[in-house]
Amino acid sequence: MVELSGDARDGLEAVVPGGVATRAADRLRLAHDASHYLLHPSAVVTPADADQVAALLRHSRRTGTPLTFRSGGTSLSGQAVTDRLLVDTRRHFRDLDVLDDGRRVRVQPGVVLRQVNARLAPYGRKLGPDPASESACTVGGVVANNSSGMTCGTEFNTYRTLESLVLVLPSGTVLDTGAPDADARLRAAEPELHAGLLRLRDRVRGNPDSVRRVRAQYAMKNTMGYGVNAFLDHDEPADLLTRLVVGSEGTLAFVAAATFRTVPVHRHAATGLLVFDALGAAMAAMPALVAAGPAAIELLDAAALRVAQRDPRADAALRGLAVRDHAALLVEWQESDPDALAERVAAARLVLAGLPLTTPARLSGEAAARAALWHIRKGLYAAVAGARPSGTTALLEDIAVPVEALAGTCAALAELFDRHRYEESVIFGHAKDGNLHFMLNERFAGGAAPARYADFTEEMVDLVLGHGGTLKAEHGTGRVMAPYVRRQFGDELYAVMREVKTLCDPDGVLNPGVLLSDDPEIHLRHLKTVPTVEEEVDRCVECGYCEPVCPSRDLTTTPRQRIVLRREIAAAHAAGDPALARELAAAYDYDAVDTCAVDGMCATACPVLINTGDLVRRLRADRTGGVAQAGWRGAARGWGTTTRGMARGLDLAGALPPALPEAATRAARAVLGADRVPQWRRDLPRGGRPRRPRPADEPDAVFVPSCLGTLFAPAEGGSGVAAALLTLAERAGVRLLVPEGIGSMCCGTPWSSKGLTSGYEAVRDRVPPALRAASRDGVLPLVSDAASCTEGYAKLLAGAGDLRVVDAVAYAATELMPRLTVRRRLGSLALHPTCSSTRLGLDDALLAVARAVADEVVVPDGWQCCGFAGDRGLLHPELTASATRAEAAAVTARSFDGYASVNRTCEIGMARATGQPYRHLLELLADATA
């Protein structure tokens, strides 16, 4: 790591005011990406716009300071790590404009690919590239790596579907290559670059061997070196520059915006998993399958199948397969018209009938079954890597060969694994394109490569190039294959690539060591070591899939960053650097522990199902003293008294001049700590009403109203969800029993989220027996009226076997709505699902109720967990403000007739963010059926 001097920091601050971070915690949390390389940057710079990037590039050239751009951090080849300046382009570059009814889209580099496709979905369009990391990778990386994916092949990859770019060149020149006069502007601003591109174009076209090599190389997926196929495909320098930047991995220019031509979404598809007795049999079936015209053929070898069997969404047939030497092909046919799909499937079934399958072929058009198969395939790398031995690093290699060479390449790779003792290595990939991924587990002691890894790499390179293949098909050259670009393309085309780099970046400040390198061993340096820390940490492969769903990602840290900082603390101790370990640990308390919402959304995105909230809860428990544990245990035993006291406190605060309670809580927080004393604000509601038993003869269900209704009064003009549900049940002729002792019952979440183990045990000892008695030993369902409490009760009662917990929204959708008549509908409704409702799988029920209430139901762009998280929004209101910023902007951009959520604290958080009166969805249903 190169230390940044005070003068150097001041110089950076002058060009990017407020955007320079040099704390060890900030530098080290962003040092890690999905690759097996690790370098610690000297500073992290976060420019706000293209003008600041231009100023930063001019500064870098003037001072000779190299820099590397990073966005999603999902790259696998080491192209987004550096020991100099790391430029974070995800934080601010998030503009997205849909153009021409979705036929085109203009996107900035910090936008996640899945978010782009979500915006395009109403138009029946999507982006062409469809990488497996689409839930986390950003447009900046899609362009920088020339992303392709599962179904796009080479026809709809980034290179083919890109229309234009807004570029910031190392000189500071900003060029929109989509402008009508883009070429003239390039010639005027950068005459040497303009002339040089024309010279290289003619040089490549004038060399028959170069033309032959380029045609052969780019008949496959290929992300090795620069995209010199541009010199055959385009004529004007502005167009040449646009295509050369695609796949250039941040070494030629900064992409401030990209305009794509979109492709149609084929809404009708049939998907199946074809299982063969051996890999050779699967490869032998390829010609017949390709001729049947599927959109995708994905390969899984035996080791990959074993991992797939462990996926929670694997079906019974896959889980029951006794895998030995088997292999499978995931196939999918897609069409825009159902009749066309039926014809495709009928023809495909004839082909499948002739294949030597282990189990009968099953093609499904059912959305859930298809989604499960693709979920398994897209999460395969991280799932395989997550199962690796503790302390090892996962390496994912990526090659392509002509399809006819696929079987031989697979067999030779298996021999290489055996010869170099790489056990449990996995082969999978896009078989239709001859594109294979394979994963190795290696232990890099001290960041150095063992001899077997170096030897394996050399033999693998010889194997792939001997088959006429490419050493990188999708993942980019990065550091891992930079020494081999010359060997793959030959001296002449390598010299062309060198000149491209010199023309665009004459001072070599952009991402040095990446894509082209004269160091023959650069791929063996700065390898990532993975210390053993704890269960959640050790399984993490640092893929970054968790980051887009994390509510604290723009405030402090993400789940991946919480984990890598634990690794960095352990590494600092191991390296004998206690000062660094203390510095990181001190920052960790707020950055990672205090501002974690423990909402569990990370687990919904993580391919290895890590819930970083479990780690945070444990860390909170470790730092909670005996006095606090005892106090909360006492609160658990007298929860009714405690909640009524809190409610009366809110009433008292609300009756005073607002400045008094605001000042009092600020002062208390300053003395006792922000994580101990909530901040009262004048937008908080008064206290709610105590919960009381409600007997019922021959009840249909047991209603367990949340203590949130006692703590907080309903939104102004609302009855509250408990009253609304009872009203709806009465109208529907459904009898709900509210049990004795309800005033002191709780789901336990206030204790579990804080790591208050003894208090949680007190709740667990008392509440489940009471609910068992009320439910007649599980005969009656338990209905909870807050999604977080539904989830809490499900965990609390997990060992109770036959006790069933149902969320009130789901209960209303299935048991009440069929007996109700909607008399008044809203024109439009802004709906905020919660993290708990998402994890509980309540989306369909939410939408069913919402669509009964309103003609138009909108889940706003930017929706995510609001970060209120019980009391986090009171202790750290900055977390909720950050988490809701994007959704609030979408909500306030237009007016709605109603605003709803399914948790009282989330209603408070969204009302605070938007200034609109959020109410529980069932309150609106009660109004609609009145």
Side-chain angles (χ1 to χ4, degrees), residues 310-377:
R310 298 196 292 266
D311 192 289
R313 297 177 72 172
D315 65 13
L318 177 55
R319 289 196 303 271
L321 182 67
V323 178
R324 293 182 296 277
D325 298 323
H326 295 81
L329 297 173
L330 192 162
V331 293
E332 180 166 283
W333 282 265
Q334 299 176 351
E335 291 291 345
S336 298
D337 176 78
D339 294 334
L341 178 64
E343 292 178 11
R344 281 274 195 189
V345 170
R349 291 191 194 282
L350 296 176
V351 174
L352 300 183
L355 299 180
L357 300 176
T358 305
T359 58
R362 294 177 300 139
L363 294 179
S364 175
E366 201 269 318
R370 291 182 51 248
L373 285 173
W374 281 113
H375 171 82
I376 292 169
R377 168 58 190 89

Side-chain angles (χ1 to χ4, degrees), residues 632 635-643 646 691 707 743-746 750-751:
W632 276 92
R637 291 170 175 165
W639 191 235
T641 302
T642 301
T643 52
M646 292 177 179
R691 296 172 292 170
C707 54
S744 61
M745 288 187 187
C746 184
W751 293 268

